[in-house]
Amino acid sequence: MKLDDKDQQILEYLQQDSKMTNKQLSMKLDLSVTAVYERIKRLEREGIISKYVALLNPEKVEKAFTVFCQIKLIQHTRNYLTRFEAEITSLPEVLECFHVSGEYDYILKVLVKDMAAYREFMVTKLTTLDHIGSTQSTFTIEKVKNTTAIKL
Amino acid sequence: MKLDDKDQQILEYLQQDSKMTNKQLSMKLDLSVTAVYERIKRLEREGIISKYVALLNPEKVEKAFTVFCQIKLIQHTRNYLTRFEAEITSLPEVLECFHVSGEYDYILKVLVKDMAAYREFMVTKLTTLDHIGSTQSTFTIEKVKNTTAIKL
DNA sequence: TTTTAGAATAGAAAATTTTTCCGAAAATGA
DNA sequence: TCATTTTCGGAAAAATTTTCTATTCTAAAA
């Protein structure tokens, strides 16, 4: 599916602020409200827009401590990988988990309140998963950039 | 500010689907539409909800190649850091950038089309920033989990 | 325990937005 | 070129958000 200039503009705007109304968009794009509406519906139907979400301020909800945790498994049989991935997915502290190339097998982005909470997470949730080989934690000192918007 | 049970439920729902209507929420929470409305407005006003966004499917927009790129600077004077951070922030391929502890100074999450595009990004955008010492790229083989929802 | 001020709630009305409908225009493809 | 499909715009309908008012609840003070 091809995205013309209007589609791209719509996606840019909605990635920044999904509360923007069709009327506001119609004025910015110089289209009718219905045209904007139909385009958005098509983008949703095609799965290009996958969902609409509210983003919280991590500071305000006491989840401002971000850690990147790299994990090496002991074995790499299919079963181990699948079970590990299912268990990781179920942990709410883990916002992102990628199977990666390189020395470690997985890289996780973990959000917790503070170092104490991270220690608790490690001890009670991560290291209790067996077939974990080693882990390496990288603590974030400062968030420089953090967006969900993909440039088209 | 304290979040009671109703607030937390609202945040949970809106983090999953911000298109949910006040009426739908009011039924799930057993509250009136106005009560839900006022609570959401308060959560926005307090900055707990920071924004509403549309999320795109990276596959559908040809940005499914995710790379974690770690960067070491040559020097760590304030000026170098600030300039580096400003330049990194301006790059649309970089969705996330954190100043971190450990061997490397920064960790970036980069989204591009494929390896060729990543090479292009490295050569024309990253390595042209000066005062960069070394970089290490970790390629993602599979996305196991990727959410924006913070558990309260 | 009672009183009182402030916050939260519910219901109805108003305002705005989304969604549908339909005819016209524009693009597409044989 | 013609036929088919897609896109578009305007108006009407449906749904949602927002405002308004009165009432209920809550917690602190008397």
Side-chain angles (χ1 to χ4, degrees), chain B residues 92-106:
Chain B
E93 294 90 346
V94 177
L95 267 62
E96 304 181 21
C97 172
F98 293 88
H99 187 185
V100 295
S101 68
E103 192 188 345
Y104 288 89
D105 296 315
Y106 292 94

Side-chain angles (χ1 to χ4, degrees), chain A residues 14 18 46 48 50-52 54-55 57 60 89 95-97 99 101 109 139 141-142 144-145 147, chain B residues 14 18 46 48 50-52 54-55 57 60 89 95-97 99 101 109 139 141-142 144-145 147:
Chain A
L14 292 183
S18 62
E46 303 281 343
I48 290 164
S50 60
K51 64 194 307 201
Y52 296 92
L55 299 182
N57 182 340
K60 294 291 177 75
T89 301
L95 267 63
E96 304 181 21
C97 172
H99 187 183
S101 68
K109 191 170 85 170
F139 303 106
I141 297 164
E142 193 208 352
V144 176
K145 181 178 187 179
T147 182
Chain B
L14 292 183
S18 62
E46 303 280 345
I48 289 163
S50 60
K51 64 193 306 201
Y52 296 92
L55 300 182
N57 182 340
K60 293 291 177 77
T89 301
L95 267 62
E96 304 181 21
C97 172
H99 187 185
S101 68
K109 191 170 86 169
F139 303 105
I141 297 165
E142 194 208 351
V144 176
K145 180 178 187 179
T147 183

Side-chain angles (χ1 to χ4, degrees), chain B residues 3-149:
Chain B
L3 300 175
D4 67 15
D5 180 57
K6 304 279 187 191
D7 290 327
Q8 292 190 20
Q9 284 190 64
I10 288 175
L11 293 175
E12 262 181 45
Y13 283 120
L14 292 183
Q15 283 190 104
Q16 296 300 333
D17 176 14
S18 62
K19 285 290 196 221
M20 193 168 280
T21 67
N22 294 337
K23 190 187 218 173
Q24 290 175 307
L25 285 169
S26 75
M27 291 188 298
K28 286 182 184 290
L29 305 196
D30 195 34
L31 275 178
S32 72
V33 170
T34 305
V36 169
Y37 175 82
E38 289 298 345
R39 278 171 179 268
I40 293 175
K41 284 301 150 194
R42 182 168 48 78
L43 292 166
E44 293 170 353
R45 201 165 44 234
E46 303 280 345
I48 289 163
I49 295 177
S50 60
K51 64 193 306 201
Y52 296 92
V53 300
L55 300 182
L56 308 191
N57 182 340
E59 316 275 350
K60 293 291 177 77
V61 293
E62 310 227 282
K63 249 75 187 191
F65 193 63
T66 307
V67 182
F68 287 94
C69 178
Q70 291 173 287
I71 296 179
K72 207 181 294 188
L73 296 189
I74 291 172
Q75 286 189 49
H76 299 87
T77 61
R78 171 91 97 98
N79 271 352
Y80 279 148
L81 294 181
T82 322
R83 273 193 42 199
F84 171 79
E85 293 183 6
E87 285 166 337
I88 279 294
T89 301
S90 76
L91 300 178
E93 294 90 346
V94 177
L95 267 62
E96 304 181 21
C97 172
F98 293 88
H99 187 185
V100 295
S101 68
E103 192 188 345
Y104 288 89
D105 296 315
Y106 292 94
I107 184 164
L108 276 54
K109 191 170 86 169
V110 180
L111 252 70
V112 289
K113 181 182 177 195
D114 51 25
M115 185 62 88
Y118 186 67
R119 182 192 158 282
E120 183 69 11
F121 167 77
M122 285 287 285
V123 173
T124 69
K125 306 237 182 132
L126 258 196
T127 58
T128 59
L129 304 179
D130 62 355
H131 41 278
I132 282 198
S134 64
T135 68
Q136 196 195 39
S137 299
T138 302
F139 303 105
T140 76
I141 297 165
E142 194 208 351
K143 178 193 301 175
V144 176
K145 180 178 187 179
N146 191 21
T147 183
T148 54

